[in-house]
Amino acid sequence: MLEQILALLPQVIFDGFILGFVYAMVALGYTMVYGVLELINFAHSEIFMIGAVVGVEVFRYLAPQVGNGFVLLFLALVLGGVVAGITAILVERFAYRPLRKRGTTNRLVPLITAIGVSFILQDLVRLVEGLWHNEFFLRMRTVQDLEGSVELFGGAIFAQTKSFILMGVSILMLLGLTYLVNRTKLGVAIRAVAQDLSTASLMGIDPDRIISRTFLIGGSLGGVAGVLFALQYTTITPYVGFLPGLKAFTAAVLGGIGNIPGAMLGGLVLGQLENFFGTYLPILTNGNFGTEYKDVVAFLILILILLLRPQGLLGQVVKEKV
C-alpha cells in the first residue's frame, strides 16, 4: 500500500495544483464582487459556465479555419471572457442594482436573487443549446477531433501543455488583478467604494459605474476560467458550474473572502486536499469509500473555517462600521 501511495504522489500533487488553480480563478470573481458589495454572487457559477460554453463553441466552429492551436485558444479566452463579462454586467444591472436602489438591507434578498439568476442562466443556456444543436452535453474538441485541420499544442504533449497553460494564465490573472486593484485609478475607486460607498460618491466617484466595472472584471475572470476548465475537462453541460462554483466559494472563504491572494491560496489548498482524499481514500479504506467522498471534504473545510477562523487564512477581522 505504501509503495502505491508513493508511486501516485507526484501525479496527485500535480493534478491537485490543476484543480486548485481552477478553483482559484473562479474564487477571484467571488472575491471581487464581495470586496465591493459584500454580496455573495452565487450566479458567478453560471458566469463561469457561460465562459466554458463559449469556449467550446469557439473550438467547434473556428478550429477548421484557424491553423494554430495557440491562436485558437487565445480567441476562445478573449471571447469567453467578453461574453461572460457582459453577462455579469447585465446580471448586476437588472438583478442587483434595483435592490440596491431600493435600499434593501436584508441580506437574504440579494442572496435569493443570486440563486434565482443562477437557475435562469442555466435554463437559458440549456434552451439555446437545445434549439441550436439539440445537445445537452457539449464536448471540447481535442487533438484527435482536430487531426488534419489544426495542429493543437503539439499533438502528443497536448494534455501536459494545456495544464501548464491553465496554471500560467491563473498566475497572470492573480498578478494582473492585484496590480489593477492596488496600482490603478480604477483600483483606487474600487477600494473607495468598498470602504464607504456614500462617501465615495460625495468625492466624485460614480458607484454604479464602479460596481458595473467590478462585475465586468469578475465576470471576465470567471469566463476565462470556464474556457480553461472546458479545455482541461472537455465535457460541459449547462449545470457544470454549480459544484465548481460552490467549491470556489469555499476556497474564497478558506483564503479570506475579499482577499485576492487569499482566493488563490484557498483554491490551491482546497484542490490539493480534495485530490488527496479522492485518490487515497479508496486505497486506505480498501474501497469502502469511493472517490465521490472528496466532495465532502470541501464542505467540511467550509464548516471548520466558519467555526474556527471565519476570516480565513489570510483574512483580517473587520469591525462593523457604524
Side-chain angles (χ1 to χ4, degrees):
M1 180 182 294
L2 181 59
E3 291 181 357
Q4 185 180 7
I5 290 174
L6 293 177
L8 292 172
L9 185 59
Q11 188 63 46
V12 169
I13 293 175
F14 184 77
D15 292 343
F17 273 119
I18 298 301
L19 187 61
F21 275 116
V22 171
Y23 292 156
M25 286 188 290
V26 183
L28 288 174
Y30 278 113
T31 294
M32 281 294 294
V33 173
Y34 185 86
V36 174
L37 292 179
E38 295 187 354
L39 165 68
I40 300 172
N41 179 24
F42 280 122
H44 188 65
S45 300
E46 278 53 59
I47 303 297
F48 161 82
M49 175 270 295
I50 287 173
V53 170
V54 171
V56 172
E57 297 294 358
V58 169
F59 270 72
R60 171 179 287 178
Y61 286 103
L62 295 185
Q65 285 77 39
V66 178
N68 185 286
F70 292 101
V71 174
L72 184 63
L73 177 58
F74 176 77
L75 292 173
L77 291 174
V78 170
L79 290 174
V82 168
V83 173
I86 292 173
T87 304
I89 290 177
L90 293 175
V91 168
E92 188 277 329
R93 177 63 183 84
F94 295 106
Y96 299 140
R97 187 179 299 183
L99 298 177
R100 193 170 69 250
K101 293 297 185 182
R102 289 168 53 188
T104 302
T105 57
N106 188 340
R107 295 195 177 187
L108 286 177
V109 174
L111 180 63
I112 294 171
T113 301
I115 296 172
V117 170
S118 294
F119 287 125
I120 291 171
L121 293 177
Q122 286 174 0
D123 287 335
L124 182 62
V125 171
R126 182 181 177 185
L127 174 65
V128 170
E129 291 296 332
L131 294 175
W132 191 5
H133 300 301
N134 194 27
E135 291 179 352
F136 182 77
F137 292 97
L138 304 174
R139 185 167 175 268
M140 176 70 81
R141 303 185 75 178
T142 62
V143 174
Q144 290 76 20
D145 300 322
L146 304 176
E147 187 175 359
S149 61
V150 60
E151 183 182 354
L152 192 60
F153 312 124
I157 62 170
F158 171 69
Q160 195 80 0
T161 303
K162 66 182 182 180
S163 298
F164 285 113
I165 290 173
L166 187 150
M167 290 189 287
V169 173
S170 301
I171 294 171
L172 289 175
M173 286 170 58
L174 171 64
L175 296 175
L177 189 58
T178 301
Y179 177 82
L180 184 146
V181 170
N182 295 308
R183 301 290 183 180
T184 66
K185 289 184 178 180
L186 176 59
V188 172
I190 289 174
R191 286 185 283 125
V193 172
Q195 182 68 28
D196 193 318
L197 188 147
S198 299
T199 303
S201 63
L202 293 175
M203 298 177 68
I205 297 173
D206 184 353
D208 289 336
R209 182 169 59 89
I210 297 303
I211 290 170
S212 181
R213 290 188 179 183
T214 302
F215 270 83
L216 172 63
I217 295 167
S220 298
L221 294 176
V224 170
V227 174
L228 293 171
F229 180 86
L231 184 70
Q232 184 72 24
Y233 298 102
T234 68
T235 301
I236 300 299
T237 74
Y239 307 110
V240 75
F242 176 72
L243 197 55
L246 283 180
K247 291 179 180 178
F249 169 69
T250 302
V253 174
L254 174 61
I257 190 147
N259 186 298
I260 293 173
M264 184 65 74
L265 176 62
L268 293 176
V269 171
L270 182 61
Q272 289 292 347
L273 289 174
E274 183 178 325
N275 211 48
F276 264 82
F277 274 87
T279 303
Y280 289 132
L281 196 60
I283 297 174
L284 295 174
T285 61
N286 293 319
N288 291 317
F289 291 92
T291 57
E292 65 273 10
Y293 282 91
K294 71 181 187 301
D295 295 333
V296 177
V297 176
F299 303 109
L300 284 177
I301 291 172
L302 177 60
I303 294 170
L304 290 174
I305 288 294
L306 292 175
L307 289 174
L308 303 177
R309 188 177 171 83
Q311 71 269 27
L313 297 175
L314 300 183
Q316 298 178 350
V317 177
V318 179
K319 296 180 180 180
E320 186 175 354
K321 292 177 286 188
V322 179

